[in-house]
Amino acid sequence: MSRSARHTTRDTVGGPGSGDVRLLWSANASDALGTQLSTVAFPLLLLHLGHSPAAVGLLAGIGMLVVLVCGPVVAVAADRGLRKPVMVASAALAAAAMAVVAVSASTVRPPLGLLVSALLVERVATACFESAVRGTVALVSGPEAVVRTVTGLEAGDRAALVIGPALGGVLYQVSRALPFAADAVSYLVTAVCVRCMRSDLRADESSPGSEHTGTDVPGQRSRTRARHGRAFAQEAAAGIALVWSSSRLRLVLVWTTTVNTALAALYFTVLFSLQHTSGPAAMGLVLALSGVAGLVGALTAPAVVRRLGGTRTLVGVTWLTVVPASGVAFMAGAWGYGICFAALCLILAPATVVVQSAAIADTPPHLQARAGAAIAVVNIAGAALAPVVVGVLVTHSGASATPLACGVSLTLLALLTTARGRHLKTGG
């Protein structure tokens, strides 16, 4: 299909309110809800079987490492034109893994090795899916509908965060296999939604190094493998090079990493504080308040962005985050922490839509997955480092040190955003 024909198909099939956009929203919401169910249930299952919190934390860390390793590799395949097959196959594989966990959890004593193996398979599949799905918004939405499409995805994530943890806990109380069975079904729904998309999810340009090179004679095989290896490395690095060369994408990278790291640090600060005073129910209240506020923020984000524009929204929101982030240092109890987190999630939603839309607009279709993977790796690394830093600060400087440090970091980010934000433009 020619470039012009492909754009015609995309604009016709994937325009505002189109079937493909709705399918993407449905796939994302189903995937997010299922993930929330199993995220709550899996630690409960391991703890119920007598395994230590340290073991549970180790598995969570391994799952995060899988995302860091798999994401950039799969991004190359997605940008080469395999985005849809990778997404469908990954969702189906994750469904099978969760079905194994559900069957195993229904037995008296599930084998730990089987549970861990299934979890790692699911993590690998999810990492592949998340890497391949980057760029889908640009391929199913016309430029004028990117903000609306991103808003729908953000609303689905927030709704899952509100419903998922409570529903996961209820299902686990009924039967410890139910949350995993529901997660398996959610992955199947995701696979079907992606499979039914009519838009061409291949990028408009073929990537270098993907051409057929013919059959190698024996003496050339080692040189051919080396050549292919270099070509693959160059393709994988293309996303990093694009982010590094673009001032707008560098701003997106710094903004998302700083905000996500601050949120992770504040989360663990509150978790450590409530653990010694109020217990798990209090943390559930904090998450519920922040989830509802985030959902409201996501639903109102398009109106805010239309009224203020992308630049003013991003700059204003970044300055506003300083108050509730720093305010955590002066709060106590679930309601106080919940109010601060709810304020953060409410005001961050419009800015999140702005930066995501800007990243999509500034990335060529054939580099969407790789550029997204480059940004995601830095984001995940920052979030992984946050609990370590929080532990040190809480131990040596007290619980108020982390929120104050986050306030300083967000103030510096606000200064940078004020200086550079004028270069950030988004679609309507």
Side-chain angles (χ1 to χ4, degrees):
M1 183 183 291
S2 68
R3 172 187 287 265
S4 59
R6 190 172 295 162
H7 275 295
T8 300
T9 301
R10 179 157 65 234
D11 292 343
T12 302
V13 177
S18 74
D20 276 6
V21 171
R22 289 192 295 271
L23 285 170
L24 181 60
W25 286 342
S26 300
N28 176 74
S30 177
D31 178 38
L33 179 60
T35 298
Q36 288 294 330
L37 296 178
S38 59
T39 297
V40 169
F42 207 91
L44 292 176
L45 176 61
L46 293 180
L47 293 172
H48 179 77
L49 295 174
H51 302 290
S52 67
V56 176
L58 177 62
L59 286 176
I62 293 174
M64 191 173 293
L65 180 62
V66 166
V67 176
L68 288 175
V69 173
C70 292
V73 175
V74 176
V76 175
D79 283 339
R80 280 180 172 179
L82 298 177
R83 179 172 281 105
K84 189 171 185 178
V86 168
M87 291 167 65
V88 173
S90 297
L93 181 60
M98 285 296 100
V100 169
V101 174
V103 171
S104 179
S106 64
T107 63
V108 176
R109 185 72 184 178
L112 179 62
L114 180 62
L115 291 177
V116 172
S117 298
L119 174 65
L120 291 179
V121 169
E122 187 268 345
R123 284 288 84 203
V124 169
T126 300
C128 293
F129 181 90
E130 291 175 350
S131 183
V133 77
R134 298 186 186 102
T136 306
V137 171
L139 296 170
V140 302
S141 291
E144 73 287 348
V146 167
V147 169
R148 180 175 179 272
T149 304
V150 171
T151 298
L153 296 175
E154 184 74 9
D157 288 339
R158 297 296 180 176
L161 185 60
V162 174
I163 300 170
L167 181 58
V170 171
L171 292 178
Y172 187 85
Q173 292 298 321
V174 176
S175 169
R176 64 188 189 186
L178 272 180
F180 307 108
D183 194 12
V185 172
S186 77
Y187 279 123
L188 288 178
V189 172
T190 299
V192 171
C193 288
V194 174
R195 181 66 181 82
C196 291
M197 289 182 182
R198 295 170 56 200
S199 295
D200 189 348
L201 300 185
R202 293 171 294 179
D204 289 327
E205 296 181 17
S206 59
S207 299
S210 59
E211 305 88 352
H212 177 68
T213 56
T215 303
D216 294 321
V217 298
Q220 295 177 330
R221 287 176 182 170
S222 60
R223 291 193 296 273
T224 300
R225 283 195 296 268
R227 190 163 60 248
H228 286 172
R230 288 193 298 270
F232 186 89
Q234 290 173 352
E235 289 186 69
I240 301 173
L242 175 66
V243 174
W244 184 258
S245 65
S246 168
S247 60
R248 288 183 289 267
L249 290 179
R250 288 199 305 271
L251 178 60
V252 169
L253 173 64
V254 173
W255 194 92
T256 55
T257 302
T258 304
V259 169
N260 289 335
T261 302
L263 287 174
L266 292 171
Y267 170 84
F268 281 101
T269 300
V270 172
L271 181 65
F272 294 156
S273 298
L274 293 178
Q275 181 181 8
H276 300 294
T277 57
S278 306
M283 195 65 207
L285 175 61
V286 174
L287 292 176
L289 291 173
S290 59
V292 171
L295 178 58
V296 173
L299 293 175
T300 57
V304 172
V305 175
R306 280 197 303 270
R307 184 174 183 83
L308 300 179
T311 299
R312 284 194 291 177
T313 298
L314 184 63
V315 172
V317 163
T318 309
W319 280 108
L320 287 174
T321 59
V322 176
V323 176
S326 303
V328 173
F330 307 100
M331 293 293 182
W335 282 103
Y337 293 140
I339 290 171
C340 288
F341 267 82
L344 277 170
C345 292
L346 177 66
I347 62 180
L348 276 173
T352 301
V353 170
V354 170
V355 295
Q356 290 182 359
S357 301
I360 291 169
D362 289 344
T363 305
H366 67 286
L367 287 173
Q368 288 276 344
R370 282 171 282 176
I375 294 173
V377 165
V378 180
N379 273 245
I380 293 172
L385 184 62
V388 179
V389 175
V390 170
V392 173
L393 288 176
V394 169
T395 301
H396 297 285
S397 304
S400 63
T402 300
L404 295 177
C406 289
V408 172
S409 299
L410 291 171
T411 299
L412 295 176
L413 178 64
L415 291 171
L416 175 66
T417 306
T418 302
R420 301 288 181 84
R422 65 182 180 275
H423 300 299
L424 199 67
K425 297 180 181 179
T426 65

Short mmCIF file of all heavy atoms in Angstrom, two decimals, residues 9-34:
data_model
loop_
_atom_site.label_atom_id
_atom_site.label_comp_id
_atom_site.label_asym_id
_atom_site.label_seq_id
_atom_site.Cartn_x
_atom_site.Cartn_y
_atom_site.Cartn_z
N THR A 9 -6.60 5.46 4.44
CA THR A 9 -7.24 4.42 5.24
C THR A 9 -7.26 4.80 6.70
O THR A 9 -8.26 4.64 7.39
CB THR A 9 -6.49 3.08 5.06
OG1 THR A 9 -6.51 2.74 3.68
CG2 THR A 9 -7.15 1.98 5.86
N ARG A 10 -6.14 5.31 7.18
CA ARG A 10 -6.06 5.64 8.59
C ARG A 10 -7.04 6.77 8.94
O ARG A 10 -7.74 6.70 9.95
CB ARG A 10 -4.64 6.08 8.94
CG ARG A 10 -4.48 6.46 10.39
CD ARG A 10 -3.04 6.33 10.83
NE ARG A 10 -2.14 7.24 10.17
CZ ARG A 10 -1.04 6.87 9.53
NH1 ARG A 10 -0.70 5.61 9.43
NH2 ARG A 10 -0.25 7.76 8.96
N ASP A 11 -7.09 7.80 8.11
CA ASP A 11 -7.96 8.92 8.44
C ASP A 11 -9.42 8.53 8.34
O ASP A 11 -10.26 9.04 9.08
CB ASP A 11 -7.67 10.10 7.48
CG ASP A 11 -6.29 10.70 7.74
OD1 ASP A 11 -5.72 10.44 8.81
OD2 ASP A 11 -5.80 11.41 6.86
N THR A 12 -9.76 7.61 7.43
CA THR A 12 -11.15 7.20 7.27
C THR A 12 -11.57 6.23 8.36
O THR A 12 -12.59 6.38 9.00
CB THR A 12 -11.35 6.55 5.89
OG1 THR A 12 -10.98 7.49 4.90
CG2 THR A 12 -12.79 6.15 5.70
N VAL A 13 -10.72 5.21 8.58
CA VAL A 13 -11.08 4.16 9.52
C VAL A 13 -10.79 4.57 10.93
O VAL A 13 -11.51 4.21 11.85
CB VAL A 13 -10.30 2.87 9.18
CG1 VAL A 13 -10.59 1.79 10.17
CG2 VAL A 13 -10.65 2.41 7.77
N GLY A 14 -9.71 5.33 11.16
CA GLY A 14 -9.27 5.60 12.52
C GLY A 14 -9.51 7.01 12.99
O GLY A 14 -8.81 7.49 13.84
N GLY A 15 -10.48 7.72 12.40
CA GLY A 15 -10.74 9.08 12.81
C GLY A 15 -11.45 9.14 14.14
O GLY A 15 -11.68 8.14 14.81
N PRO A 16 -11.84 10.33 14.55
CA PRO A 16 -12.50 10.53 15.82
C PRO A 16 -13.74 9.67 15.95
O PRO A 16 -14.61 9.66 15.09
CB PRO A 16 -12.84 12.03 15.81
CG PRO A 16 -11.89 12.64 14.85
CD PRO A 16 -11.65 11.59 13.81
N GLY A 17 -13.85 8.96 17.04
CA GLY A 17 -15.01 8.13 17.30
C GLY A 17 -15.07 6.88 16.46
O GLY A 17 -16.09 6.21 16.42
N SER A 18 -14.02 6.58 15.71
CA SER A 18 -14.04 5.44 14.80
C SER A 18 -14.01 4.14 15.57
O SER A 18 -13.69 4.07 16.75
CB SER A 18 -12.84 5.50 13.85
OG SER A 18 -11.68 5.16 14.56
N GLY A 19 -14.31 3.05 14.84
CA GLY A 19 -14.29 1.73 15.46
C GLY A 19 -12.92 1.35 15.97
O GLY A 19 -12.81 0.73 17.03
N ASP A 20 -11.86 1.69 15.25
CA ASP A 20 -10.52 1.31 15.67
C ASP A 20 -10.10 2.02 16.94
O ASP A 20 -9.43 1.43 17.79
CB ASP A 20 -9.51 1.59 14.55
CG ASP A 20 -9.45 0.46 13.55
OD1 ASP A 20 -10.28 -0.46 13.66
OD2 ASP A 20 -8.58 0.49 12.66
N VAL A 21 -10.47 3.27 17.08
CA VAL A 21 -10.15 3.99 18.32
C VAL A 21 -10.88 3.36 19.48
O VAL A 21 -10.32 3.16 20.57
CB VAL A 21 -10.49 5.49 18.19
CG1 VAL A 21 -10.35 6.19 19.54
CG2 VAL A 21 -9.57 6.16 17.16
N ARG A 22 -12.15 3.03 19.28
CA ARG A 22 -12.91 2.38 20.35
C ARG A 22 -12.33 1.01 20.69
O ARG A 22 -12.29 0.61 21.86
CB ARG A 22 -14.39 2.26 19.95
CG ARG A 22 -15.14 3.57 19.95
CD ARG A 22 -16.64 3.36 19.84
NE ARG A 22 -17.02 2.77 18.57
CZ ARG A 22 -17.31 3.47 17.47
NH1 ARG A 22 -17.23 4.80 17.51
NH2 ARG A 22 -17.65 2.87 16.37
N LEU A 23 -11.87 0.28 19.68
CA LEU A 23 -11.23 -1.01 19.94
C LEU A 23 -9.95 -0.82 20.74
O LEU A 23 -9.64 -1.62 21.64
CB LEU A 23 -10.94 -1.72 18.62
CG LEU A 23 -12.14 -2.34 17.91
CD1 LEU A 23 -11.75 -2.81 16.50
CD2 LEU A 23 -12.69 -3.53 18.71
N LEU A 24 -9.18 0.22 20.41
CA LEU A 24 -7.95 0.49 21.15
C LEU A 24 -8.27 0.85 22.60
O LEU A 24 -7.61 0.38 23.53
CB LEU A 24 -7.18 1.62 20.48
CG LEU A 24 -5.85 2.02 21.14
CD1 LEU A 24 -4.87 0.84 21.16
CD2 LEU A 24 -5.22 3.21 20.41
N TRP A 25 -9.29 1.67 22.80
CA TRP A 25 -9.71 2.00 24.17
C TRP A 25 -10.12 0.74 24.93
O TRP A 25 -9.76 0.55 26.09
CB TRP A 25 -10.87 2.98 24.14
CG TRP A 25 -10.51 4.38 23.77
CD1 TRP A 25 -9.26 4.95 23.80
CD2 TRP A 25 -11.40 5.40 23.32
NE1 TRP A 25 -9.33 6.25 23.39
CE2 TRP A 25 -10.61 6.57 23.09
CE3 TRP A 25 -12.76 5.46 23.08
CZ2 TRP A 25 -11.17 7.77 22.65
CZ3 TRP A 25 -13.33 6.65 22.64
CH2 TRP A 25 -12.53 7.79 22.42
N SER A 26 -10.91 -0.12 24.26
CA SER A 26 -11.39 -1.34 24.92
C SER A 26 -10.24 -2.27 25.25
O SER A 26 -10.20 -2.85 26.35
CB SER A 26 -12.40 -2.06 24.01
OG SER A 26 -13.52 -1.23 23.74
N ALA A 27 -9.31 -2.42 24.32
CA ALA A 27 -8.15 -3.29 24.57
C ALA A 27 -7.34 -2.76 25.74
O ALA A 27 -6.92 -3.54 26.62
CB ALA A 27 -7.29 -3.37 23.31
N ASN A 28 -7.11 -1.46 25.78
CA ASN A 28 -6.32 -0.86 26.86
C ASN A 28 -7.03 -1.01 28.21
O ASN A 28 -6.40 -1.37 29.21
CB ASN A 28 -6.08 0.61 26.55
CG ASN A 28 -5.34 1.33 27.66
OD1 ASN A 28 -4.15 1.16 27.86
ND2 ASN A 28 -6.07 2.15 28.43
N ALA A 29 -8.34 -0.71 28.25
CA ALA A 29 -9.07 -0.79 29.51
C ALA A 29 -9.13 -2.22 30.02
O ALA A 29 -8.95 -2.47 31.23
CB ALA A 29 -10.49 -0.24 29.32
N SER A 30 -9.36 -3.17 29.13
CA SER A 30 -9.41 -4.58 29.54
C SER A 30 -8.06 -5.04 30.07
O SER A 30 -7.98 -5.69 31.12
CB SER A 30 -9.83 -5.44 28.34
OG SER A 30 -9.83 -6.81 28.68
N ASP A 31 -7.00 -4.68 29.36
CA ASP A 31 -5.65 -5.06 29.79
C ASP A 31 -5.32 -4.43 31.14
O ASP A 31 -4.80 -5.09 32.04
CB ASP A 31 -4.65 -4.60 28.72
CG ASP A 31 -3.22 -4.91 29.11
OD1 ASP A 31 -2.98 -5.98 29.68
OD2 ASP A 31 -2.34 -4.08 28.83
N ALA A 32 -5.65 -3.15 31.32
CA ALA A 32 -5.33 -2.46 32.57
C ALA A 32 -6.11 -3.04 33.74
O ALA A 32 -5.56 -3.23 34.83
CB ALA A 32 -5.65 -0.96 32.43
N LEU A 33 -7.39 -3.35 33.53
CA LEU A 33 -8.20 -3.92 34.61
C LEU A 33 -7.67 -5.29 35.02
O LEU A 33 -7.52 -5.57 36.22
CB LEU A 33 -9.66 -4.01 34.18
CG LEU A 33 -10.62 -4.62 35.21
CD1 LEU A 33 -10.62 -3.79 36.48
CD2 LEU A 33 -12.03 -4.72 34.62
N GLY A 34 -7.39 -6.14 34.04
CA GLY A 34 -6.87 -7.46 34.36
C GLY A 34 -5.55 -7.39 35.09
O GLY A 34 -5.30 -8.16 36.04
#
